[in-house]
Amino acid sequence: METRENRVSVSFSRGIFLTRFGSPLEVVEERAVMVPQPCVGEVLIGVELAPINPADLNVLEGKYGTLPALPCVPGIEGVGRVLEVGAGLGVAGEELEGKRVLLPHGFGSWRSHGTALASELVVVPEAVPVEQASMLRINPATALVLLEHFVELKPGEWIVQNAANSGVGRSVIQIARACGWRTINVVRRAGLGEELRAIGADAVLESSEDLGARIAGITGGVPPRLGLNAVGGESALALAKTLAESGVLVTYGAMGLQPVRIPNGLLIFKDLAMRGLWISRWYKNATLSQRYNLFERLFHWASTGVLHTPVEAIYSLENSREAIAHAMRDGRGGKVLFKG
Ligand SMILES: NC(=O)c1ccc[n+]([C@@H]2O[C@H](COP(=O)([O-])OP(=O)(O)OC[C@H]3O[C@@H](n4cnc5c(N)ncnc54)[C@H](OP(=O)(O)O)[C@@H]3O)[C@@H](O)[C@H]2O)c1
C-alpha cells in the first residue's frame, strides 16, 4: 500500500531561518524540522533550486518594502517538484503530482521542503532548464514588464539602462533583442563588453561620463524614450539627462544606495516622467491572463536559450553563510543558488 512514508522518503527537512534582522551573515541559521504535511488544497513541494537575490539580502537586513513576520524562512523565488498532494484536489491534484513548479510568493524558498496552495502554482515545462526556472519569476519577469509596461517601443527603438550586467540587466538585453529593440548598456567596470554584446547588447559603456554625447553617437542623434535605473544617484541622473522629451525613467533598484535626484528643469522643460516598478505589486495587480501570458513567453525564451542567466555557484543549505557571503561579492560572474 502507498503510504506517506514511502512517497516522501525523508521525515526531516532543512531550512534557513531568519530570527532577527541585521547583518546578512549573522542573522541566519540552518535548522532541521519535520517535513510539513499538506493540508486540504495544498501540495508538498521538494525544493530543487532557489537563488539569492539582492532583495533577499535586503530582507535579511530588515530594509525592504515589506518585511515578513519572524521567524521565517527567506527566499523570494525558486523551483521545486510536487511530491505529495493534499486532500480535496481530485484530478487536478493527480495532474500536479511529480510536476516541476515555480515556488509561489511567500513560500520561503531557502528550504528543502514546503507546502503551498495548489491554486498558486505555475507548472514549469520540462524543456526549461531547472537553473533558469529557479530564477524566472523575479528578474526576467521584471525585465519584460520594464520593457513593455511604460513606453510603447517601436521596432528598432533604443533604450538605455544601468547595472546592465545584473540578472535583470541581462534579461533586458536578451528580451529586447528578441523583441527587436536595441539596448545601450552602462556597466560600472571594464571587461564586460564582449560578454554582453554576445548575449545581444547593441552598445556597452563602462561609465556614465559624457553619456548624452556618446549615446547620440550610437543612435545617430535619436535620444532614447525609456531609461531603466537600478542604481540611483549620479548614475540615474546621467540616464535621465540622455532621455528624449517626455521620456520615462523607471527606477526598479537602488544598488548604489543613493537617492534619485532630478533637476527641476528636466521635469519642467523636458517633461520627463519618473516611474517605479516593483514586480511583486505587478503580480498582485495582474489578471490571470496577464500572468499566464508573461510566464508563457518567459518559458518559451528560457527553453529556447534566448533567456539565460549565468550561475556562478550552487550551495547546499548547510553552507548558508558561505553562500550569502558569495552572493554579496562585487563582480560576480552569475547568480548564487541554494540547492534544496
Ligand atoms: N523592483 C523590482 O521588482 C525588482 C525585481 C528584480 C530586481 N530588482 C532590483 O534590481 C537590482 C538588480 O538585481 P539583480 O538580481 O538583477 O542583481 P544581480 O544579478 O545580483 O547583480 C547585481 C548587479 O548590480 C551591480 N551593482 C552592485 N552595486 C552597484 C553599485 N553601487 N553601482 C552600480 N552597480 C552596482 C553589480 O555590478 P557588477 O557586475 O559590477 O558587480 C551587478 O551587475 C537590485 O537592486 C534588485 O533589488 C528589483
Side-chain angles (χ1 to χ4, degrees), residues 287-304:
T287 62
L288 257 183
S289 104
Q290 285 170 322
R291 270 182 267 166
Y292 178 82
N293 180 275
L294 174 121
F295 286 124
E296 194 176 40
R297 287 188 293 161
L298 295 181
F299 289 151
H300 170 69
W301 285 325
S303 62
T304 51

Side-chain angles (χ1 to χ4, degrees), residues 240-257:
K241 283 179 175 170
T242 71
L243 295 181
E245 199 171 309
S246 302
V248 182
L249 182 72
V250 188
T251 293
Y252 67 95
M255 295 304 298
L257 302 175

Side-chain angles (χ1 to χ4, degrees), residues 237 240-241 260-269 272 274:
L237 175 57
K241 283 179 175 170
V260 177
R261 286 208 173 90
I262 301 295
N264 301 324
L266 285 183
L267 303 176
I268 300 168
F269 302 116
L272 290 193
M274 299 296 129

Side-chain angles (χ1 to χ4, degrees), residues 54 139 142 165 167-168 188-189 252 255 277 279 331-332 335:
N139 286 345
T142 299
N165 187 44
V168 177
R188 65 169 174 173
R189 61 191 163 95
Y252 67 95
M255 295 304 298
L277 172 68
I279 198 65
R332 271 181 289 107
K335 284 287 183 188

